């Protein structure tokens, strides 16, 4: 990317047809090394939205994309498919970002505008609330750009979190509000482990988040959110048809969940739209557990195949403060 290349957005400003090109900034050279700073503007390399970096997270990436042994390569549900691979985590940078609300209606490869969900107050053990337009983005998905606008991103939290600072590069500084919000919500925002595995050219990335514990009917219920991204790394058009989860709890229970699609959708992954991302939630009556499973996909000729969901642990070994009952500034 040249630093003189203009970015053109397909999301026309308040145009009903939504297909008018407009200049929004100047591309900068992506960083091969080091981290992007608070206030860095970017285009998402997969989903195409405009955003701004709030702060980085250092995560452990467990990548299972190694050559499988013969015994487990053909049966995704065989025990060896998950247990025979010793996977060591490597450090990888992700960013907490704000999404430009003007682009949200056009991100069709997402099940919903990404949001960070929290447990609500103790009065309702199942209630969740969300902060929309908040996302986690991997370093390689950041396409940095520069804009001379003092408010280049439209999001309700932009001016609460950031202030224009012409003497800084990038020219936005974190307000004390952002620092206080990050510190207060750190246990429920923190991204620590990322799990990735590719089967039949379909890559599955899973990021689990611990949300906290609630007391329901005199028992402790532990909650997690998990974000899943499906990416078609090949040229064949495929469609997700079914999900099959196994959920193991430290209390000794093993639950099987089968169903059509995910979050009410059966996304098609093609060269034009190779990725789909969604978030869901799970609760256990134990402080830890594991999840794994398969997604069933269908090719255009009607044949089906299963892809592995990499096994991931559900851990609650965070500081056991109560999750926030709302976000205040």
């Amino acid at each position: 990317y040249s630093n003189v290349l203009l970015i053109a957005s397909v999301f026309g400003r308040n145009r009903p047809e939504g297909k008018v090109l407009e200049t929004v900034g100047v591309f900068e050279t992506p960083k091969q090394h080091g981290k992007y700073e608070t206030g860095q503007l970017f285009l998402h390399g997969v989903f195409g939205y405009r955003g701004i970096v709030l702060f980085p997270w250092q995560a452990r990436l467990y990548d299972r994309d190694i050559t499988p042994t013969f015994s487990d390569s053909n049966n995704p549900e065989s025990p060896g498919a998950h247990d025979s691979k010793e996977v060591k985590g490597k450090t990888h940078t992700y960013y907490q970002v704000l999404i430009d609300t003007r682009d949200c209606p056009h991100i069709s490869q997402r099940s919903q505008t990404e949001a960070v969900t929290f447990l609500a107050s103790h009065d309702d053990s199942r209630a969740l609330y969300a902060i929309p337009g908040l996302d986690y983005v991997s370093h390689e998905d950041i396409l940095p750009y520069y804009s001379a606008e003092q408010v280049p991103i439209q999001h309700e939290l932009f001016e609460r979190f950031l202030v224009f600072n012409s003497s800084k590069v990038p020219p936005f500084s974190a307000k004390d509000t952002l620092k206080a919000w990050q510190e207060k919500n750190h246990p429920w925002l923190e991204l620590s482990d990322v799990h990735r595995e590719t089967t039949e050219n379909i890559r599955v990335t899973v990021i689990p988040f611990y949300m906290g514990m609630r007391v329901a009917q005199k028992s402790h219920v532990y909650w997690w959110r998990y974000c899943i991204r499906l990416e078609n790394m090949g040229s064949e058009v495929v469609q997700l048809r079914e999900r099959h989860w196994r959920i193991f709890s430290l209390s000794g229970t093993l639950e099987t969940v089968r169903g059509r699609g995910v979050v009410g959708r059966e996304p098609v992954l093609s060269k034009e739209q190779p990725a789909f991302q969604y978030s869901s939630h799970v609760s256990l009556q134990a402080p830890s557990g594991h999840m794994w499973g398969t997604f069933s996909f269908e090719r255009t000729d009607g044949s089906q195949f299963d892809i592995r969901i990499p096994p991931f642990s559900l851990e609650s070994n965070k500081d056991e403060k109560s999750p926030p009952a709302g976000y205040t500034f």
Side-chain angles (χ1 to χ4, degrees):
Y1 294 90
S2 163
N3 60 3
V4 297
L5 180 63
L6 292 176
I7 299 173
S9 169
V10 297
F11 312 133
R13 190 170 285 153
N14 300 320
R15 309 282 180 99
E17 68 274 18
K19 293 182 180 178
V20 177
L21 293 175
E22 63 178 50
T23 299
V24 298
V26 180
F27 268 129
E28 298 174 316
T29 304
K31 287 188 176 182
Q32 302 302 317
H33 307 286
K35 295 194 288 282
Y36 294 107
E37 302 293 324
T38 294
Q40 176 65 60
L41 294 166
F42 69 92
L43 280 190
H44 194 293
V46 174
F47 298 115
Y49 64 71
R50 290 166 282 184
I52 192 165
V53 170
L54 295 180
F55 44 80
W57 292 114
Q58 291 301 113
R60 291 186 302 273
L61 173 62
Y62 296 91
D63 195 336
R64 303 176 73 86
D65 289 345
I66 57 176
T67 304
T69 60
F70 179 79
S71 63
D72 66 44
S73 61
N74 296 317
N75 185 356
E77 274 303 299
S78 67
H82 298 305
D83 299 335
S84 65
K85 297 180 182 180
E86 287 295 326
V87 183
K88 292 185 178 179
K90 62 180 180 180
T91 302
H92 194 76
T93 303
Y94 276 72
Y95 299 93
Q96 193 93 64
V97 308
L98 294 181
I99 301 174
D100 194 313
T101 55
R102 293 169 293 184
D103 296 346
C104 291
H106 307 280
I107 311 172
S108 59
Q109 310 97 316
R110 305 288 284 260
S111 63
Q112 67 276 325
T113 298
E114 195 56 54
V116 171
T117 46
F118 295 92
L119 290 176
S121 67
H122 286 274
D123 299 334
D124 185 347
S125 63
R126 294 182 59 83
L128 302 172
Y129 72 90
I131 302 176
L134 201 60
D135 201 1
Y136 294 84
V137 181
S138 178
H139 182 87
E140 66 269 20
D141 288 336
I142 297 280
L143 300 179
Y145 74 90
Y146 167 79
S147 170
E149 289 186 58
Q150 294 195 13
V151 186
I153 298 294
Q154 290 188 14
H155 189 286
E156 63 173 342
L157 298 179
F158 180 87
E159 292 183 89
R160 294 188 182 187
F161 282 171
L162 299 159
V163 61
F164 183 76
N165 180 352
S166 59
S167 64
K168 179 179 170 292
V169 179
F172 301 96
S173 297
K175 287 186 174 181
D176 289 343
T177 318
L178 174 58
K179 298 171 186 175
W181 181 80
Q182 180 186 7
E183 186 176 340
K184 174 187 175 185
N185 295 287
H186 181 277
W188 327 110
L189 289 170
E190 184 180 10
L191 179 159
S192 57
D193 293 348
V194 179
H195 303 265
R196 180 183 292 167
E197 184 165 8
T198 304
T199 315
E200 300 265 2
N201 285 325
I202 305 298
R203 184 164 73 183
V204 182
T205 303
V206 184
I207 307 176
F209 300 86
Y210 177 55
M211 297 176 65
M213 182 270 291
R214 288 287 182 258
V215 177
Q217 297 177 340
K218 297 184 180 180
S219 66
H220 290 175
V221 180
Y222 298 81
W223 283 85
W224 290 265
R225 175 169 59 93
Y226 56 92
C227 178
I228 291 190
R229 181 155 128 188
L230 301 165
E231 292 176 87
N232 187 349
M233 314 301 287
S235 56
E236 202 171 25
V237 177
V238 297
Q239 184 170 13
L240 190 154
R241 290 302 193 187
E242 294 183 344
R243 68 190 185 279
H244 178 200
W245 283 107
R246 308 295 296 275
I247 306 167
F248 176 76
S249 168
L250 188 65
S251 62
T253 61
L254 178 62
E255 183 182 1
T256 297
V257 178
R258 287 183 180 272
R260 295 288 296 181
V262 290
V263 291
R265 302 271 294 270
E266 294 183 23
V268 174
L269 303 184
S270 63
K271 263 193 154 180
E272 293 70 34
Q273 293 199 340
F276 182 80
Q277 186 164 307
Y278 74 96
S279 293
S280 192
H281 303 86
V282 62
S283 63
L284 301 176
Q285 291 186 335
S288 64
H290 286 82
M291 289 178 66
W292 68 95
T294 57
F295 290 122
S296 291
F297 276 80
E298 186 176 300
R299 301 182 180 92
T300 52
D301 65 5
S303 62
Q304 294 201 346
F305 63 99
D306 286 347
I307 64 163
R308 287 185 283 267
I309 303 169
F312 58 96
S313 59
L314 302 169
E315 301 291 346
S316 61
N317 56 351
K318 298 268 177 73
D319 160 358
E320 280 298 323
K321 292 178 183 173
S322 296
Y327 69 98
T328 54
F329 301 93

